[in-house]
Amino acid sequence: EMGCDAEYVDDVHEELVCAVCHLPMLRAVGIHPCAHAFCEGCLVAPHTGVALQECPTCRGAIGSTAPSYAVRNVMNGLLVYCTHTARGCEEKVKRGDLETHAATCGFAEVTCTHAGCGATVLRRDLKAHVAKCEWGLVTCPKRCGERVPRGKLEKHKAEECVKRMVECEKCGTKRKAEASEEHRKRLCPDREVECEVAGCGVMYKRGARAEHMKEHAERHVELLAAELKALLERTAVMERSIDWN
């Protein structure tokens, strides 16, 4: 990695500028024996990744290299502008603290934490965005226990919530959706059902059961009598087939 191209508050002295990348030195390394200093990354050939054997300035042989802490301390103490100045940050920090500041800077762009959103906002605006984000999970106010994305809450309340009120398409009465199936199968007075008397086959509205039973009482008796007679005949046949000895 080559020099640091941060925007410095004051001009950087030329002795602190790397002769290879022409940027203020980053992780300065000193060469022995010539004592010239460069960015740590600038002493590696860019295409091969092999360490340079000659000093880029004097072309003398490189005997050894070591971190130049004196230069590093000076560089880290220089004031630089926040990398998010274009978005409005006016902070000036020491270069050594730049990464720490950038990690908490309110003008840095961050991604919404809600799954499915993906919106990018300034860190200082994140809390407000999250509070109204369409993808933020909210609890259904009808107390069904479901948590749904805020942007889908109205659809949930109108079409999916088991606590929503629904109207029976037959009788027009209203009840909670969770009770609608029982109403449809067992309670709706206007839903047609088949007479429970075997052989009758008449369909009538559940609410008209008493009327149907009264109107067809004579036929029901005949059907029940016929069923009883058939049962007795089957029983007699079974008894005759049993070997009682």
Side-chain angles (χ1 to χ4, degrees):
E1 188 176 0
M2 296 184 180
C4 178
D5 61 351
E7 185 179 355
Y8 291 79
V9 175
D10 300 311
D11 292 337
V12 178
H13 195 281
E14 62 180 10
E15 292 184 1
L16 300 175
V17 175
C18 177
V20 176
C21 66
H22 305 293
L23 292 172
M25 281 185 270
L26 181 65
R27 291 193 293 275
V29 171
I31 293 176
H32 181 76
C34 68
H36 290 129
F38 304 90
C39 298
E40 183 179 47
C42 290
L43 291 181
V44 177
H47 301 297
T48 64
V50 177
L52 300 182
Q53 301 301 308
E54 295 181 347
C55 172
T57 298
C58 67
R59 297 304 175 186
I62 297 177
S64 62
T65 61
S68 179
Y69 293 109
V71 175
R72 293 187 182 192
N73 289 338
V74 172
M75 297 305 302
N76 287 336
L78 296 178
L79 289 179
V80 296
Y81 292 102
C82 173
T83 53
H84 305 300
T85 53
R87 301 192 188 100
C89 184
E90 298 179 352
E91 288 291 322
K92 301 172 186 177
V93 298
K94 291 181 179 180
R95 197 185 80 170
D97 299 330
L98 184 58
E99 288 188 10
T100 300
H101 168 75
T104 58
C105 178
F107 291 88
E109 288 188 331
V110 294
T111 303
C112 175
T113 55
H114 289 142
C117 177
T120 300
V121 298
L122 297 185
R123 181 178 282 114
R124 68 175 189 170
D125 299 329
L126 180 61
K127 185 176 180 180
H129 169 80
V130 167
K132 63 179 181 180
C133 176
E134 295 290 281
W135 289 92
L137 294 181
V138 294
T139 301
C140 176
K142 294 182 179 294
R143 299 184 178 180
C144 69
E146 291 291 328
R147 285 176 59 78
V148 297
R150 183 178 287 104
K152 297 182 179 181
L153 180 59
E154 292 305 315
K155 180 178 185 295
H156 168 78
K157 291 193 298 182
E159 303 176 13
E160 302 165 356
C161 179
V162 297
K163 300 294 185 181
R164 73 188 189 280
M165 298 300 292
V166 295
E167 181 178 309
C168 176
E169 72 276 13
K170 294 293 184 180
C171 66
T173 58
K174 294 183 177 181
R175 65 200 35 79
K176 292 180 179 179
E178 61 187 354
S180 62
E181 187 64 12
E182 181 183 13
H183 171 79
R184 184 185 70 82
K185 289 182 176 180
R186 300 180 57 251
L187 302 175
C188 180
D190 288 345
R191 188 168 294 278
E192 288 195 339
V193 294
E194 185 176 355
C195 178
E196 64 264 34
V197 176
C200 177
V202 173
M203 301 293 292
Y204 59 86
K205 290 184 178 181
R206 185 180 282 115
R209 181 179 183 278
E211 181 181 345
H212 167 76
M213 290 298 181
K214 181 178 180 180
E215 182 179 346
H216 295 79
E218 185 175 342
R219 182 163 183 262
H220 288 169
V221 171
E222 293 175 354
L223 290 170
L224 292 172
E227 183 179 3
L228 178 60
K229 180 181 178 181
L231 177 61
L232 292 174
E233 289 176 352
R234 290 196 299 273
T235 302
V237 170
M238 291 176 61
E239 289 179 344
R240 286 194 297 270
S241 66
I242 297 174
D243 185 1
W244 299 98
N245 295 321

